[in-house]
Amino acid sequence: METFIHAYSWIDIRFLLQGLWVTIYVSVISIILSFILGLICGLVRYMKIKYLSAAVGFVVDIIRNLPLLLIIFFTYFGLPKLGLIANPTIASIVALVVFEGAMLSEIVRSGINSVPTGQMEGARSNGMTYGQAMIHVVLPQAIRNMVPAILSQFVSLIKDTSVATIIVLPELLYHAQIIYSQNTSYLIPMYLIIAVMYFIVCFCLSKYANHLQKKYL
């Protein structure tokens, strides 16, 4: 018990909260950018644009079947060889956006496919262009269908930020490792407290997802 009391000193808790802030910051940026990327790629794949849709689908399939850790290694160690990205935070965001964007693109494509084709045909017959029908009629219905899967993917993204500790991203897990490396008796207390922190963040997002699902579905 004394070990836990010492491990949870205000100095250590504050240090962990700094790591949690980095986790949330990277997650929020990655969530916004990966949703935009996933939406664009999903639309391109759905519209079956000659050559472009096939090329995007090929790249998405490759990324979806690669481990996130490999993509993080590539962005951090590979891109600097091309004169790009050396910062762990930027490298982590790029890797997460690429990986999660590929996952979300499949959710978007499936969500659009779930909307009856008659919705598009009805909108076009009322004088809308293809783009107007997609934006005002099809997408709103598709997004309602996609909400649970998208938010579930966002929860996974938050947990995936811990993988970036391998490239010294100063997120929650990395800060915990620094603390217990100075005193190995703190290892269990640190893993318990970061488990609680991850649970709180992910649980809140999951409850929000359930709220949206009840509200819009």
Side-chain angles (χ1 to χ4, degrees):
M1 180 62 69
E2 186 175 346
T3 298
F4 280 79
I5 293 174
H6 290 158
Y8 297 150
S9 66
W10 169 240
I11 293 175
D12 289 342
I13 295 297
R14 185 174 60 183
F15 190 61
L16 289 174
L17 289 175
Q18 291 172 354
L20 180 61
W21 163 248
V22 174
T23 294
I24 294 174
Y25 170 78
V26 170
S27 298
V28 170
I29 299 297
S30 300
I31 283 172
I32 294 171
L33 295 180
S34 63
F35 178 73
I36 294 172
L37 178 62
L39 184 60
I40 293 172
C41 291
L43 282 170
V44 169
R45 295 189 69 187
Y46 173 80
M47 291 189 290
K48 295 180 174 60
I49 303 171
K50 189 175 183 180
Y51 302 126
L52 180 60
S53 294
V56 170
F58 178 71
V59 173
V60 165
D61 287 339
I62 290 176
I63 294 173
R64 290 177 64 238
N65 289 283
L66 292 177
L68 175 59
L69 184 59
L70 178 61
I71 298 174
I72 290 176
F73 275 151
F74 178 77
T75 56
Y76 187 65
F77 296 109
L79 293 184
K81 301 296 183 181
L82 304 175
L84 302 170
I85 304 172
N87 183 292
T89 302
I90 297 176
S92 301
I93 290 174
V94 171
L96 287 167
V97 168
V98 170
F99 183 75
E100 299 297 337
M103 298 296 184
L104 289 170
S105 71
E106 191 62 22
I107 294 174
V108 169
R109 187 171 71 91
S110 299
I112 296 174
N113 281 329
S114 70
V115 178
T117 55
Q119 296 293 313
M120 173 63 78
E121 294 169 356
R124 294 298 302 276
S125 66
N126 284 324
M128 287 187 178
T129 63
Y130 183 88
Q132 290 173 332
M134 179 61 70
I135 293 172
H136 298 293
V137 178
V138 177
L139 269 183
Q141 297 179 67
I143 289 176
R144 283 198 294 271
N145 296 336
M146 292 185 274
V147 164
I150 287 176
L151 290 176
S152 176
Q153 195 64 43
F154 289 164
V155 171
S156 296
L157 186 154
I158 293 172
K159 292 182 286 187
D160 286 343
T161 57
S162 61
V163 179
T165 191
I166 199 71
I167 60 170
V168 201
L169 177 70
E171 47 75 61
L172 181 57
L173 180 59
Y174 181 74
H175 278 219
Q177 290 174 341
I178 291 176
I179 293 173
Y180 70 68
S181 66
Q182 298 172 357
N183 188 333
T184 54
S185 65
Y186 289 175
L187 189 148
I188 293 178
M190 285 300 105
Y191 279 128
L192 284 175
I193 190 65
I194 64 174
V196 170
M197 289 181 174
Y198 274 120
F199 173 78
I200 290 173
V201 173
C202 294
F203 180 75
C204 290
L205 185 56
S206 297
K207 294 298 287 184
Y208 183 63
N210 292 335
H211 169 72
L212 289 180
Q213 187 172 2
K214 292 177 181 177
K215 184 176 181 179
Y216 294 110
L217 297 184

